[in-house]
Amino acid sequence: MISRVADCCFWLGRYIERAEATARLLYVTRNLSLDAELEARQCWLPVVIVSGEEANFAERFGADVPNAQVGEEVERYMTWDEANFVSITRSVAAARENARQIREVISLEVWEAVNELYLWLGSASARSEYAQARYSFYKRIRQGCQVSAGLLRSTMLHELPLNFIWLGMLLERGSQTARVVDVHHHALMLRERTHQVVETALWLSLLRVCSAYEPFTKRYRGRVTGAAVAAFLSFEPLFPKSIAYCLHEARGRFAVIRPPVQAELPGGASQARLAALEEWLAAHASGESGDDIHGILTHVVDEIAAICSEVSRELFWHAPVQAQESAQ
């Protein structure tokens, strides 16, 4: 398999997952802004901070965006801004371009799903839905990405190209889960403590948007707390969007791409780093390490970014700065 095709497969998976995660993050934050009684800046600015876009956002809109406008500006920047590497528009366009370059590798149904999402996002219909039905707009983005991901699994041979796609998707998902949990954990810790029922409702809302409500309630029978929700989304080994699950599955996909016994193949450094991160996270699952959840999530985000850069250098034969986009 040539490195160009592997590169496109890896980034196709990442961009599909990134578009869905950004839509999910905006959807959750919009709910949070209505329910959490936070100032708009406290609620929305963490979105651009955890996306690594704080400096660019400040340069674009100024450091002192009026409180009344900050939510709308953040949503517009993270949805439509083509200069923003992590915006939905940029991610869907990049996913479509990668899919176009490997049309001979992916199935026709995958191509049609990605292309349809791209064309819809560029249509007047999408602009109208964004203006009039914001929740429905984000839901449409998420469903388009989920359909593409499902077709990847159900309409392609489960061989090397799909393993590269899923490796990229799982690493992106693990990083995005860490970002979503971190931004909400941070925002909710800032607000003054109110009635326990209100706080419980906010954490349940986060679980529902992460499609984690039912799995969470099957694991935890007691009071819903921030610590329990963060632990579930970070350490639960059997939930597909948890960080632990993503790292474990990514390690398995990597082992198919580069069997550990074949030490002569490239990819050894990134594979070892991925294994080390999974083991590090497992060691912190007990809570005995003393690290707070913010520190753990920050380490996960930084390490996954480093692993993706290492994968680009070792397997795709180009330096990280030459990668398709910022790894974020």
Side-chain angles (χ1 to χ4, degrees), residues 163 167 170 245-258 260 271 274 278:
N163 282 310
L167 176 63
L170 288 162
Y245 180 93
C246 291
L247 293 179
H248 181 72
E249 289 297 307
R251 190 175 176 181
R253 296 285 178 174
F254 211 143
V256 176
I257 294 169
R258 180 190 181 277
Q271 192 172 35
L274 176 58
E278 185 192 2

Side-chain angles (χ1 to χ4, degrees), residues 25-43:
L25 180 59
L26 293 172
Y27 184 101
V28 175
T29 306
R30 197 170 174 81
N31 275 334
L32 191 67
S33 68
L34 298 175
D35 296 336
E37 300 174 359
L38 285 168
E39 286 190 8
R41 298 179 64 80
Q42 288 180 314
C43 193

Side-chain angles (χ1 to χ4, degrees), residues 169-179 242-243 246 300 304:
M169 189 169 281
L170 288 162
L171 290 175
E172 183 73 23
R173 182 180 297 173
S175 177
Q176 294 294 350
T177 295
R179 293 170 190 272
S242 79
I243 300 168
C246 291
V300 168
I304 290 179

Side-chain angles (χ1 to χ4, degrees), residues 35-208:
D35 296 336
E37 300 174 359
L38 285 168
E39 286 190 8
R41 298 179 64 80
Q42 288 180 314
C43 193
W44 285 102
L45 288 184
V47 172
V48 292
I49 293 172
V50 300
S51 299
E53 287 294 316
E54 183 180 14
N56 293 333
F57 182 81
E59 181 180 352
R60 184 73 178 273
F61 298 96
D64 298 315
V65 182
N67 195 57
Q69 299 177 14
V70 67
E72 196 61 33
E73 297 292 6
V74 168
E75 285 192 88
R76 186 180 301 119
Y77 180 70
M78 295 297 294
T79 301
W80 299 111
D81 198 315
E82 295 186 359
N84 175 9
F85 286 150
V86 297
S87 72
I88 293 173
T89 297
R90 186 68 179 263
S91 298
V92 171
R96 191 253 191 188
E97 175 58 22
N98 279 278
R100 187 190 65 78
Q101 292 190 40
I102 52 172
R103 279 285 291 108
E104 75 282 5
V105 173
I106 61 175
S107 69
L108 175 62
E109 289 172 89
V110 170
W111 163 250
E112 288 179 343
V114 174
N115 196 42
E116 284 176 7
L117 179 59
Y118 168 78
L119 294 174
W120 177 78
L121 194 57
S123 68
S125 174
R127 291 281 182 175
S128 175
E129 190 159 342
Y130 177 82
Q132 299 175 17
R134 196 70 55 88
Y135 289 111
S136 174
F137 173 83
Y138 292 136
K139 186 176 181 180
R140 175 79 177 261
I141 298 293
R142 289 169 54 191
Q143 289 179 336
C145 294
Q146 289 163 352
V147 166
S148 300
L151 288 171
L152 283 166
R153 185 185 289 273
S154 61
T155 65
M156 286 182 59
L157 292 173
H158 286 219
E159 52 186 5
L160 205 50
L162 189 59
N163 282 310
F164 271 107
I165 292 171
W166 274 101
L167 176 63
M169 189 169 281
L170 288 162
L171 290 175
E172 183 73 23
R173 182 180 297 173
S175 177
Q176 294 294 350
T177 295
R179 293 170 190 272
V180 170
V181 174
D182 196 23
V183 68
H184 282 79
H185 191 269
H186 174 73
L188 290 173
M189 291 303 103
L190 287 176
R191 67 193 296 273
E192 294 181 1
R193 295 187 67 82
T194 55
H195 197 282
Q196 179 181 322
V197 174
V198 177
E199 293 195 3
T200 300
L202 293 174
W203 288 115
L204 288 176
S205 174
L206 174 58
L207 287 170
R208 288 192 179 95

